[in-house]
Amino acid sequence: LPAVFTVHGDEDGVVPHEHAARLHRALDAAHVPNRLLTLRGGGHGGFRGEEMVQAFAAISEFLAQQGIR
């Protein structure tokens, strides 16, 4: 499987955060490179500017770790 990066708000009213956490644990168990970025207070998309900056920085770091620039 390819590396997986997940961004999820912990106050998502559509998809429970536990779904993202469960995916993260399953990927770990399968030895798939992955990262779960939890945005505190974040809902289902529509993230604020500072949350987007945080997410893009984390994505960039994750891709670099995977040898992707």
Side-chain angles (χ1 to χ4, degrees):
L1 292 174
V4 177
F5 188 96
T6 306
V7 180
H8 204 109
D10 66 352
E11 294 194 20
D12 187 331
V14 178
V15 179
H17 182 267
E18 178 54 29
H19 289 197
R22 190 171 25 175
L23 172 64
H24 174 65
R25 290 191 300 270
L27 291 168
D28 277 348
H31 305 287
V32 175
N34 75 96
R35 174 153 181 214
L36 169 58
L37 173 63
T38 298
L39 296 178
R40 303 287 174 212
H44 189 77
F47 301 121
R48 297 171 302 189
E50 64 266 15
E51 293 168 329
M52 294 297 289
V53 169
Q54 179 186 1
F56 282 119
I59 291 166
S60 179
E61 178 183 326
F62 181 75
L63 291 175
Q65 291 169 348
Q66 304 311 309
I68 301 169
R69 292 264 172 196

